[in-house]
Amino acid sequence: MHILLTGGTGFIGSELIKHLVDHHITVLTRSSDQAKSKLKHADFSNIDYVSCLSTWHNLDHIDAIINLAGEPIATKRWTESQKQKICHSRWDITQQIVSLIKASQHPPHTLISGSAVGYYGDQKQHVVMENTPPIVINHSFAHHVCQQWENIAMQASSTKTRVCIIRTGIVLGSQGGALLAMLPPFRFGVGGKLGRGNQYMPWIHIQDEVRAITYLLQQSQTSGTFNLCAPHPVPNKHFSRLLAKTLRRPCLISTPQWVFKLIMGESRAILFDSVRAKPKHLTEIGFIFTYSRLEPALKQLLQSTGSR
């Protein structure tokens, strides 16, 4: 299968490539040299690089697209300029892909396009399935980004092209993502819950994330929206206790929300919005999680980093 991959040098994309060794992959990247360095674990014989799609007239030569590109949403304060960068890094490339699909006589049979559980807004303690309507308060930025991103991708849906939207949760991995950012204070024994810690964290192990994407790639009759998160989300206070326990450290400190408001501003919603998401559609089509519970997932990841 010839797969066009955007976001291939990111945290999820670079791990996903390891699972696509039997396919011909074209990675969309600004710099092929930097991408090769980032993807030094990959077999270069099955990977091509392209710096832009503007010279392409269609996607007749592509079998499937996995669209993960986007400016990281949690690394910087959400200034107006950063919001624009977050939005357009997702929307513009997705619109370009959709236009090329529509211009194709023999379009790709599959588009798997990214989104996030931020689509749902702050759902408090309610269980969230794929059909749960979002709660949008004060024009929630995360919802706005995801809703438009999904709407653009769905324009590619036709009798020739199926579209799968993946609403990803908090991806836990040893090489990047949220866990790596959380570890330092917990290693030094000063980690703890955020605010009251009641907000649910829809987590997923990086291996289950990439396995779920490749599973959707193989399910030729499957389309629609999928929550990519483990079946058992936990409140932040429970997550914090388990992380501290796995590291054999105390979990005594609570950081009030106002501190994050001062430091992060509006982007603190990433930490405090509660999304008790369940992967209903994914499990209905037969996907089995390797890590459905948090404690075994943390133990495996922290062993691989030598943190225990």
Side-chain angles (χ1 to χ4, degrees):
M1 195 183 300
H2 189 175
I3 300 170
L4 172 64
L5 174 62
T6 76
T9 60
F11 173 45
I12 297 171
S14 59
E15 186 64 31
L16 176 63
I17 281 179
K18 298 177 186 178
H19 294 248
L20 299 175
V21 292
D22 294 331
H23 303 285
H24 177 195
I25 306 167
T26 295
V27 175
L28 179 65
T29 177
R30 294 188 188 93
S31 169
S32 60
D33 290 337
Q34 290 180 12
K36 287 178 182 178
S37 176
K38 177 75 173 178
L39 301 174
K40 55 182 178 286
H41 61 277
D43 179 2
F44 293 150
S45 65
N46 76 316
I47 301 177
D48 293 327
Y49 298 91
V50 60
S51 60
C52 68
L53 299 179
S54 59
T55 59
W56 292 15
H57 302 294
N58 56 59
L59 296 174
D60 285 336
H61 61 298
I62 299 293
D63 298 306
I65 305 160
I66 302 174
N67 178 34
L68 305 176
E71 172 79 7
I73 198 167
T75 56
K76 297 179 181 179
R77 194 180 179 96
W78 288 349
T79 62
E80 286 306 310
S81 62
Q82 183 63 14
K83 282 183 176 182
Q84 290 299 309
K85 189 179 293 186
I86 289 169
C87 289
H88 290 287
S89 65
R90 288 161 173 77
W91 299 348
D92 294 356
I93 186 60
T94 305
Q95 185 63 68
Q96 193 173 19
I97 288 169
V98 169
S99 298
L100 286 170
I101 289 174
K102 290 184 174 182
S104 304
Q105 290 188 349
H106 306 285
H109 55 69
T110 300
L111 168 61
I112 298 175
S113 194
S115 186
V117 295
Y119 169 88
Y120 297 107
D122 187 358
Q123 296 279 340
K124 307 301 182 186
Q125 307 303 302
H126 299 116
V127 174
V128 176
M129 307 296 186
E130 286 86 351
N131 62 350
T132 300
I135 294 177
V136 183
I137 301 173
N138 297 327
H139 306 288
S140 166
F141 175 65
H143 168 76
H144 173 61
V145 174
C146 293
Q147 183 185 47
Q148 182 65 5
W149 197 9
E150 293 183 14
N151 288 346
I152 294 169
M154 287 306 301
Q155 294 172 15
S157 179
S158 71
T159 56
K160 293 182 178 180
T161 303
R162 66 187 178 102
V163 178
C164 296
I165 302 294
I166 52 173
R167 292 177 181 160
T168 294
I170 300 166
V171 184
L172 304 180
S174 59
Q175 302 300 313
L179 182 61
L180 217 57
M182 295 176 195
L183 280 177
F186 280 90
R187 282 175 173 153
F188 287 106
V190 293
K193 64 183 180 180
L194 305 180
R196 295 181 178 179
N198 294 323
Q199 66 275 28
Y200 271 83
M201 298 176 64
W203 65 275
I204 184 170
H205 191 293
I206 182 65
Q207 292 303 317
D208 282 329
E209 173 77 10
V210 298
R211 284 181 57 247
I213 293 171
T214 56
Y215 189 80
L216 289 171
L217 190 63
Q218 296 159 4
Q219 305 301 303
S220 61
Q221 302 304 311
T222 295
S223 62
T225 304
F226 299 85
N227 289 339
L228 263 60
C229 47
H232 304 287
V234 297
N236 171 263
K237 58 186 176 185
H238 182 62
F239 186 102
S240 301
R241 284 197 298 266
L242 274 180
L243 180 54
K245 175 186 173 183
T246 307
L247 289 168
R248 300 188 180 95
R249 297 291 191 275
C251 183
L252 304 174
I253 296 174
S254 172
T255 307
Q257 186 170 170
W258 65 264
V259 173
F260 292 93
K261 184 176 182 179
L262 287 175
I263 297 170
M264 300 175 67
E266 187 182 354
S267 66
R268 73 188 183 282
I270 297 169
L271 302 177
F272 290 96
D273 280 0
S274 179
V275 186
R276 195 177 180 180
K278 299 273 191 174
K280 182 174 183 288
H281 288 175
L282 196 58
T283 53
E284 282 178 345
I285 62 171
F287 182 78
I288 298 173
F289 284 82
T290 302
Y291 299 97
S292 62
R293 298 280 181 179
L294 180 60
E295 189 166 8
L298 288 176
K299 285 180 178 178
Q300 188 278 329
L301 289 167
L302 294 176
Q303 283 174 346
S304 66
T305 62
S307 297
R308 296 183 65 209

